[in-house]
Amino acid sequence: MTDQLVQSSNPEVRARALATVKISSALRAERQFSQAFPSLRAHSFAAEQGKDRVIYDARQTDRLKNVIVRREGQEAGNDVAVNEAYDYSGDTYDFYESIFQRNSLDDRGMTLISAVHVAEPDYRGGFVPMNNAFWNGELMAYGDGDGIIFNRFTQSLDVVGHELTHGVQSFTSNLTYYGQPGALNEHFSDVFGILIRQWKKQEEAKTANWTIGSEVLVPAATRHGIRDMLNPGKAYVDDPDLGTDPQPGHMNDLYTGPYDNNGVHINSGIPNRVFALVATELGGNAWDVAGRIWYDTMLQLTSSGQFKDCAKLTVQIAGSQFGEAEKKVVSNAWKTVGLTI
Amino acid sequence: MKVQLQQSGGFMGALKECSLDTDQLEADEVQAIQESVTNTNWTEAEPNPSAMRDGYQYHVRVEDQEQTYTAAYTDQTLPESLKPLVGVLKKYLKPKSLR
């Protein structure tokens, strides 16, 4: 598939495919080197030492690595955003370690770096608080929000888990951030973001909240979150500042336009719904069965994986690791959104 | 001068847009936009497949009496010269339906 994308007439798709080939080659070479010379592997990470966190304060600028304000083991201070970034990245580490025996993003104890109070330039040469959070390939960056529509992004454990899962994916499937592979990239970040929150709160699937980013939005009657995994398209409706949630919940409504990298945050509603349906149908803790199936799928998918590839793998893993009943639940959920395996 | 900004992506993933005539704007905003337009090399940015996730994409369109400029950028490819223009127009973004 990557070979086909490299030949694409769309320059953006072609460039992304070429980058994927380069990254895959680099990762293969890095793996081979580490296997051959494990003692020589650079110790830029806190390898094999467990959890290691560093928090930077951008101090309302766009300089992400501005000032280090907290390191692993240091006491909490008075800055709520610093404490949230520290605590929630720690919760994310603990979740991956205890449920999947994964040692940080790279499974080798990579330091979790966060930058808080990130701002963006205004037109007067100053800065305004950023209404966003992102993963830049090395660290998580969190804005404080404008206080009108958005609160600070560190406030939500599932947002922090979402961003860190982008990091996990960069060391695993590394799904290309465009079209269906990109929507799966967003999907896995939502899945593990919400699972981390449910695990932390010990919420069972049937009674859990399936909304991403509730705390990030300033409350209003027209909004209850950024995405609703169980009911895509319903997180906000006719909101004067946000409009209406564009996420589809069925393949018939798949977005194919140019915006949002061909709909990576839009079409993730389809597999998100599948996961929420599977978890609620199976009952119990979503991270025990559904979470395990999706974690192994995330590790096995290739960078060009499409929805149908994800569907096939989840059905196959459900059957081989758990049994016919679980396989049927997963298969039926994909059928509900218009994908028959 | 007519200016348009479409912003998509971000953690939110929603599309927002504004289309304005600079006659509607404050003097310092118009000046910032005019400087951006003058200082920008309006060639399409090279595709930049970066590791960034949840960044924004921008589609910018400027029409003056002589010509029309259009270009698409991401947070990582947006030129410094265009940041003032984007900074002004972000204040006026409104949600837009994708369909």
Side-chain angles (χ1 to χ4, degrees):
Chain A
M1 176 60 84
T2 304
D3 291 344
Q4 289 172 357
L5 293 174
V6 166
Q7 306 294 328
S8 169
S9 59
N10 181 326
E12 191 166 2
V13 172
R14 196 167 60 242
R16 286 171 195 281
L18 281 168
T20 301
V21 170
K22 285 179 187 170
I23 290 167
S24 300
S25 301
L27 285 173
R28 269 197 305 278
E30 201 274 347
R31 264 201 302 271
Q32 287 165 357
F33 176 82
S34 296
Q35 285 162 2
F37 308 104
S39 63
L40 295 179
R41 190 172 189 275
H43 263 252
S44 56
F45 310 138
E48 288 87 43
Q49 291 179 4
K51 192 162 43 183
D52 186 43
R53 290 162 285 181
V54 174
I55 313 296
Y56 284 86
D57 186 346
R59 294 189 171 163
Q60 299 301 341
T61 70
D62 58 359
R63 290 188 293 277
L64 301 180
K65 286 185 162 180
N66 194 5
V67 182
I68 293 179
V69 288
R70 194 171 174 191
R71 291 182 186 275
E72 187 64 41
Q74 291 181 334
E75 293 294 315
N78 294 325
D79 190 320
V80 178
V82 172
N83 296 336
E84 286 168 342
Y86 185 88
D87 291 343
Y88 291 166
S89 57
D91 289 337
T92 302
Y93 178 94
D94 292 343
F95 170 82
Y96 273 107
E97 200 278 331
S98 66
I99 303 299
F100 302 121
Q101 294 74 55
R102 185 176 189 87
N103 181 10
S104 193
L105 310 184
D106 61 348
D107 204 15
R108 290 179 176 180
M110 180 178 175
T111 300
L112 304 178
I113 307 172
S114 308
V116 302
H117 302 309
V118 177
E120 55 189 16
D122 70 4
Y123 66 97
R124 295 188 173 102
F127 292 91
V128 292
M130 184 174 74
N131 281 333
N132 201 18
F134 62 83
W135 162 256
N136 76 347
E138 182 188 5
L139 56 79
M140 290 74 64
Y142 303 100
D144 286 339
D146 55 13
I148 300 166
I149 307 168
F150 292 101
N151 294 314
R152 63 181 184 279
F153 279 71
T154 50
Q155 208 166 337
S156 171
L157 175 55
D158 42 80
V159 170
V160 174
H162 174 109
E163 294 307 333
L164 280 161
T165 300
H166 279 309
V168 173
Q169 293 187 74
S170 70
F171 288 97
T172 56
S173 52
N174 199 28
L175 285 149
T176 303
Y177 207 56
Y178 187 87
Q180 286 194 26
L184 287 173
N185 196 315
E186 279 302 315
H187 161 62
F188 284 112
S189 279
D190 277 352
V191 163
F192 293 101
I194 203 110
L195 286 184
I196 290 160
R197 191 183 68 201
Q198 291 180 9
W199 170 79
K200 182 70 178 176
K201 292 186 167 183
Q202 290 293 298
E203 290 179 334
E204 292 201 357
K206 284 186 191 297
T207 53
N209 181 343
W210 287 94
T211 305
I212 297 286
S214 304
E215 303 89 345
V216 166
L217 293 177
V218 173
T222 48
R223 57 180 88 137
H224 67 273
I226 290 180
R227 285 180 282 281
D228 186 331
M229 295 182 70
L230 203 51
N231 301 289
K234 303 291 185 196
Y236 47 95
V237 177
D238 293 334
D239 185 282
D241 297 309
L242 302 172
T244 294
D245 178 0
Q247 284 210 304
H250 194 281
M251 290 299 285
N252 287 347
D253 301 316
L254 189 78
Y255 172 71
T256 56
Y259 299 109
D260 186 35
N261 277 334
N262 197 217
V264 298
H265 295 87
I266 298 162
N267 291 328
S268 58
I270 295 170
N272 276 1
R273 184 179 175 211
V274 171
F275 182 82
L277 288 172
V278 168
T280 51
E281 179 65 23
L282 291 173
N285 298 324
W287 56 89
D288 285 335
V289 178
R292 182 82 229 182
I293 295 167
W294 256 254
Y295 179 75
D296 287 350
T297 300
M298 178 172 71
L299 265 53
Q300 290 180 38
L301 274 172
T302 65
S303 60
S304 57
Q306 305 288 307
F307 286 179
K308 68 176 188 312
D309 301 317
C310 183
K312 282 179 189 168
L313 262 177
T314 52
V315 170
Q316 178 192 321
I317 291 168
S320 62
Q321 288 196 21
F322 294 100
E324 280 305 308
E326 289 81 359
K327 182 179 177 181
K328 192 171 180 184
V329 168
V330 176
S331 179
N332 283 345
W334 283 108
K335 194 174 176 184
T336 301
V337 303
L339 268 166
T340 303
I341 308 304
Chain B
M1 188 188 303
K2 290 178 180 171
V3 286
Q4 182 188 59
L5 174 68
Q6 294 172 320
Q7 174 189 280
S8 66
F11 190 92
M12 193 87 197
L15 175 63
K16 289 190 163 188
E17 182 185 272
C18 74
S19 290
L20 296 168
D21 196 305
T22 49
D23 291 346
Q24 302 169 254
L25 301 174
E26 301 293 328
D28 62 340
E29 295 174 328
V30 176
Q31 185 183 347
I33 288 173
Q34 284 176 334
E35 286 176 6
S36 273
V37 172
T38 304
N39 295 335
T40 296
N41 177 9
W42 287 90
T43 50
E44 192 78 21
E46 288 296 312
N48 178 27
S50 75
M52 190 172 188
R53 303 289 181 256
D54 298 322
Y56 286 115
Q57 291 93 58
Y58 306 102
H59 289 80
V60 182
R61 180 183 174 89
V62 177
E63 278 181 58
D64 64 17
Q65 289 177 333
E66 293 167 3
Q67 62 186 114
T68 299
Y69 310 92
T70 59
Y73 302 98
T74 68
D75 271 328
Q76 293 198 321
T77 62
L78 186 67
E80 284 296 321
S81 59
L82 261 185
K83 287 182 179 176
L85 179 147
V86 170
V88 171
L89 297 186
K90 271 195 171 192
K91 295 197 305 177
Y92 299 100
L93 288 171
K94 296 287 180 196
K96 181 174 170 62
S97 174
L98 281 160
R99 312 247 178 207

